[in-house]
């Protein structure tokens, strides 16, 4: 006690407070406040002065040597064998003042005066905070801030849920033919932008921008059709480049859609040369040719190929038997084809033959694998009610520019862990 009265300084250990608050989706928000070990200057040091219901070993005024919060009174308890019990600790904390314990029992036996001075003044291993008013305030502030953030996240979740429900209501009320038209227009824009080339064989900048735009429109339109029960609208086989819709749209519009071919005949020729497993969709394009009657130059190969496909289907051979999974959606998208699809439904390949592990299905007879188009997952999906990305291209591994800054603002704790504290305003 006399050492502290004479030295008028001591090192104190650091202290930290953590808080956890549950948020949406099982997520837990975490906050932390900490102060490193620091040297305190002591003044007005008094020994064993009564302070309400307690008589601290030392009462003084204390503040960090490099400036900071002033503790007055600052209470110091020195223990050797008389450990601080719970009742005494409660009385100390009830004062609301900063209180520190120096536990010399941790010194491990007899020490010299010089060693004792080092333990009391400079060592922090023998010290612990009994009460730190700033830490209490910081913990309260952390909990309040995290609680407010959790409430905001809950409100945002509720707002998103309401927006999703409202969007779903509007989709269910909209004429399904309008949704089909929106979907086909978006797919057509996507395919044309993806196939655009300049004289050097590169995609023009305007086409790249249009393609990104169209991807979001396709994601939105496909989700709307899914709400109306057409989940297959998101299949890669349909909306992928050179997929089923690219071919059907080319025939319907009388020009290549998503193809670099000179005319529809070039698209049909590409279809003829695909081979298995794409043979299973050949009948779709023959139905489309009958339904839309595109202008085709006289060319005997097309009639011969069409006759070959029809003959195979009449014989119920597997080569050109199609997957009927898309018939319902295609009848909506291309109503002029509905009668032909229904008429040839008997020639469709049974659903069970899609399973490639069947011992009765050879590789030439397998249908194209069905899967969701991968690029849809990279979009700010409409059903999630998210804002559009500004500086980040779909498929990028990291957010960029304004998108990254918006994420940092929305996730301050995680951003601080990744990137450190933001610079001060004057930096």
């Amino acid at each position: 006690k006399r050492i502290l009265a004479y030295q008028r300084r001591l090192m104190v250990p650091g202290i930290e407070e953590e808080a956890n608050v549950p948020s949406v989706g099982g997520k837990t928000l975490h906050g932390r406040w900490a102060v490193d070990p620091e040297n305190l200057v002591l003044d007005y040091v008094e020994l064993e002065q009564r302070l309400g219901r307690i008589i601290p070993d030392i009462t003084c005024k204390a503040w960090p040597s490099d400036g900071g919060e002033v503790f007055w009174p600052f209470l110091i308890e020195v223990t050797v064998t008389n450990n601080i019990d719970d009742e005494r600790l409660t009385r100390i904390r009830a004062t609301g003042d900063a209180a520190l314990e120096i536990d010399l029992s941790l010194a491990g036996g007899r020490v010299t005066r010089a060693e004792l001075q080092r333990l009391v003044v400079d060592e922090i291993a023998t010290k612990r905070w009994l009460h730190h008013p700033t830490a209490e305030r910081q913990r309260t502030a952390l909990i309040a801030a995290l609680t407010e953030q959790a409430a905001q996240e809950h409100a945002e979740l509720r707002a998103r849920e309401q927006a999703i429900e409202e969007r779903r209501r509007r989709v269910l009320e909209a004429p399904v033919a309008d949704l089909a038209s929106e979907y086909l227009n978006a797919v057509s824009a996507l395919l044309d932008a993806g196939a655009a080339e300049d004289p050097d064989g590169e995609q023009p900048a305007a086409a790249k921008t249009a393609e990104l735009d169209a991807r979001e429109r396709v994601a939105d339109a496909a989700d709307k059709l899914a709400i109306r029960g057409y989940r297959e609208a998101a299949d890669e086989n349909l909306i992928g480049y050179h997929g089923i819709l690219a071919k059907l749209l080319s025939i319907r519009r009388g020009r290549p859609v998503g193809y670099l071919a000179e005319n529809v005949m070039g698209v049909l020729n590409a279809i003829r040369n695909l081979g298995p497993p794409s043979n299973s969709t050949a009948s779709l394009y023959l139905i489309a040719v009958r339904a839309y009657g595109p202008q085709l130059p006289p060319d005997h190969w097309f009639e011969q190929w069409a006759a070959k496909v029809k003959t195979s289907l009449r014989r119920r051979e597997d080569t050109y038997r199609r997957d009927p999974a898309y018939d319902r959606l295609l009848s909506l998208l291309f109503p002029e084809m509905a009668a032909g699809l229904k008429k040839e439904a008997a020639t469709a390949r049974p659903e069970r033959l899609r399973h490639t592990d069947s011992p009765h299905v050879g590789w030439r007879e397998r249908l194209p694998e069905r899967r969701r188009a991968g690029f849809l997952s990279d979009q700010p999906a409409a059903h999630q009610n998210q804002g559009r990305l500004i500086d980040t291209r779909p498929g990028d591994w990291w957010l960029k520019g304004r998108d990254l800054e918006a994420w940092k603002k929305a996730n301050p704790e995680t951003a601080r862990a990744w990137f450190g504290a933001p610079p001060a305003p004057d930096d």
Side-chain angles (χ1 to χ4, degrees):
K1 299 174 187 178
R2 286 192 295 271
I3 288 172
L4 287 178
Y6 177 76
Q7 291 291 326
R8 293 181 178 271
R9 72 175 184 87
L10 85 162
M11 286 291 297
V12 295
I15 188 171
E16 70 175 48
E17 287 289 343
E18 295 187 356
N20 297 291
V21 173
S23 187
V24 298
K27 181 176 69 172
T28 298
L29 302 178
H30 177 73
R32 178 180 178 273
W33 171 87
V35 172
D36 293 331
E38 57 186 352
N39 184 54
L40 297 185
V41 177
L42 308 183
D43 202 357
Y44 302 105
V45 178
E46 296 180 339
L47 308 181
E48 298 183 344
Q49 297 295 311
R50 176 172 289 279
L51 187 66
R53 296 178 59 198
I54 62 173
I55 304 177
D57 291 326
I58 296 174
T59 306
C60 61
K61 179 181 181 181
W63 64 93
S65 58
D66 56 357
E69 182 177 5
V70 176
F71 302 111
W72 197 7
F74 181 68
L75 315 181
I76 302 175
E77 294 283 359
V78 181
T79 58
V80 179
T81 58
N82 56 331
N83 294 330
I84 297 175
D85 58 25
D86 291 342
E87 180 183 357
R88 187 179 175 193
L89 181 60
T90 299
R91 290 202 302 268
I92 292 172
R93 290 176 174 174
T95 66
D97 299 318
L100 184 79
E101 177 188 20
I102 303 176
D103 186 357
L104 294 180
S105 67
L106 300 176
R110 297 176 62 85
V111 295
T112 65
R113 185 175 297 273
E115 289 171 338
L116 180 61
Q117 178 172 310
R118 181 185 63 80
L119 290 172
V120 170
V121 176
D122 297 311
E123 183 59 68
I124 62 173
T126 56
K127 301 167 185 171
R128 69 170 176 133
W129 287 98
L130 301 177
H131 180 68
H132 195 300
T134 304
E136 292 294 324
R137 292 195 300 270
Q138 289 292 340
R139 187 173 189 280
T140 300
L142 279 176
I143 293 175
L146 294 176
T147 301
E148 181 180 356
Q149 182 180 343
Q152 181 179 351
E153 291 184 357
H154 280 284
E156 291 174 352
L157 176 62
R158 179 57 184 155
R160 286 197 299 272
E161 290 174 342
Q162 290 176 341
I164 292 170
E165 187 57 36
E166 174 61 21
R167 177 174 180 273
R168 178 179 176 81
R169 182 190 64 77
R170 293 196 304 269
V171 170
L172 291 175
E173 292 177 354
V176 70
D178 291 350
L179 301 179
S181 178
E182 177 185 349
Y183 172 74
L184 281 182
N185 288 336
V187 172
S188 181
L190 172 67
L191 298 172
D192 281 339
E197 277 190 3
D198 61 20
D200 297 325
E202 300 291 334
Q203 185 184 29
K208 291 181 180 179
T209 301
E211 185 178 9
L212 294 179
D213 245 7
R215 286 188 172 201
E216 293 187 13
R217 290 169 54 198
V218 171
D220 180 54
D223 183 65
K224 289 178 180 177
L225 285 177
I227 291 174
R228 296 299 291 264
Y230 297 94
R231 298 185 64 85
E232 63 272 23
D235 274 20
E236 178 74 28
N237 292 335
L238 286 173
I239 60 180
Y241 294 104
H242 294 181
I244 292 173
L245 292 184
K247 300 175 179 68
L248 292 179
L249 284 168
S250 296
I251 297 170
R252 177 179 180 176
R253 298 185 177 182
R255 67 168 182 84
V257 175
Y259 277 85
L260 292 176
E262 294 182 0
N263 49 42
V264 175
M265 202 65 171
V267 176
L268 291 172
N269 188 46
I271 294 172
R272 178 183 63 155
N273 293 320
L274 285 176
S278 297
N279 280 339
S280 63
T281 61
S283 63
L284 294 176
Y285 314 122
L286 298 184
I287 294 172
V289 169
R290 289 200 303 270
Y292 297 110
Q295 293 296 319
L296 301 178
D299 196 323
H300 68 282
W301 74 257
F302 176 75
E303 295 300 333
Q304 290 178 350
W305 175 65
K308 176 183 176 182
V309 173
K310 294 174 185 177
T311 299
S312 178
L313 292 175
R314 280 195 298 269
R315 293 174 177 173
R316 304 189 65 82
E317 296 172 350
D318 282 341
T319 306
Y320 295 103
R321 291 174 66 194
R322 75 172 186 277
D323 184 348
Y326 301 124
D327 283 10
R328 176 171 167 265
L329 174 60
L330 293 178
S331 295
L332 169 67
L333 300 176
F334 304 94
E336 300 84 355
M337 295 176 55
L341 291 170
K342 184 176 181 181
K343 179 180 178 182
E344 296 194 5
T347 67
R349 188 187 303 263
E351 286 282 334
R352 63 181 178 81
L353 294 183
R354 188 184 301 116
H355 300 290
T356 57
D357 57 352
S358 171
H360 305 296
V361 182
W363 72 269
R364 290 185 178 275
E365 299 170 342
R366 290 175 183 166
L367 297 172
E369 179 186 356
R370 287 186 54 192
R371 60 181 179 274
R372 178 180 171 87
F375 74 86
L376 295 179
S377 300
D378 297 330
Q379 307 310 309
H383 64 277
Q384 294 178 355
N385 199 37
Q386 296 176 353
R388 177 177 174 177
L389 297 176
I390 301 172
D391 298 319
T392 310
R393 288 175 59 90
D396 284 348
W397 284 94
W398 301 100
L399 293 175
K400 298 176 182 177
R402 287 165 287 182
D403 304 322
L404 178 60
E405 295 308 313
W407 176 84
K408 288 181 179 179
K409 184 176 180 181
N411 303 272
E413 293 298 326
T414 307
R416 190 174 296 112
W418 274 88
F419 301 102
D426 296 335
D427 287 356

